[in-house]
Amino acid sequence: EQEQEQEQQEEKEQEQEKYVDLAYANDNEEPTPWLFDTLRINEDEYPEQFYKASEFHLFKRKPINFPRYIGVSNNYFDKQWSGHRRIKNVVMILEWVPNPKNPDLFPPIVENMSEKQELAFNKAAELFDMDHSERLNIDEIISVIQQATDLPISREEAKQIIFEF
């Protein structure tokens, strides 16, 4: 009886796997290698292996309005794909400056935060303010850095960072 239940369970799992395989397409997903030298472009162009992130959207979904300087690799999600697809769960970020002489291609530098930005920043800072002092002490700063970088940091290194900023 136990063997029969186990066989039924295995058959059920196999049927579920078949459905999942049919529900999502995964053809033509091999990454296309490219050379770093291909990142050299004219100011108004995007390298051919990337497209503007604001053009990225899932099947039958609307795109998100990203700033023009953020791109998506065709190796991550190719716009030519159609139908339901699973998004790859690996993300790599490349900071790239196509033309250092043209500052319009960079994200804008904001000297003063808007009220909305300041509220968002304060809300984030509150998450690390463990003693609710409305200030981050050295231990809390070490915690923030370790959580952000996943690297150990000494008190001396944290003090140096605080001194620099």
Side-chain angles (χ1 to χ4, degrees), residues 18-164:
K18 286 179 187 176
Y19 173 76
V20 168
D21 288 343
L22 293 174
Y24 296 95
N26 62 355
D27 52 319
N28 301 323
E29 287 191 352
E30 297 79 29
T32 304
W34 47 268
L35 300 173
F36 276 102
D37 196 38
T38 61
L39 295 176
R40 293 185 190 172
I41 58 165
N42 294 330
E43 295 173 9
D44 298 329
E45 296 177 6
Y46 238 71
E48 64 183 42
Q49 62 269 29
F50 295 95
Y51 57 92
K52 294 176 182 172
S54 58
E55 296 173 6
F56 168 76
H57 66 92
L58 300 177
F59 185 62
K60 295 186 177 181
R61 302 288 173 108
K62 293 181 181 178
I64 297 173
N65 188 19
F66 286 100
R68 65 187 173 113
Y69 52 82
I70 297 179
V72 175
S73 167
N74 286 318
N75 285 338
Y76 177 74
F77 193 89
D78 195 328
K79 292 189 304 183
Q80 296 176 356
W81 293 339
S82 63
H84 293 287
R85 289 189 173 264
R86 289 188 178 142
I87 295 182
K88 296 174 186 173
N89 60 355
V90 175
V91 176
M92 186 175 102
I93 297 173
L94 169 69
E95 187 173 349
W96 158 66
V97 178
N99 185 348
K101 295 177 184 171
N102 186 350
D104 291 340
L105 298 175
F106 296 100
I109 296 174
V110 179
E111 296 294 328
N112 296 319
M113 290 189 278
S114 69
E115 187 176 328
K116 185 177 178 182
Q117 290 171 321
E118 195 169 332
L119 286 171
F121 178 82
N122 289 337
K123 186 175 181 182
E126 286 175 15
L127 294 173
F128 297 103
D129 184 13
M130 302 307 236
D131 61 3
H132 306 290
S133 65
E134 297 185 6
R135 297 182 135 198
L136 294 180
N137 63 39
I138 189 77
D139 293 324
E140 292 164 338
I141 290 173
I142 290 171
S143 175
V144 169
I145 293 170
Q146 287 177 334
Q147 290 179 41
T149 64
D150 207 21
L151 297 171
I153 182 169
S154 71
R155 291 179 81 77
E156 295 308 313
E157 290 171 316
K159 287 178 183 177
Q160 183 63 34
I161 291 170
I162 293 167
F163 177 75
E164 288 176 21

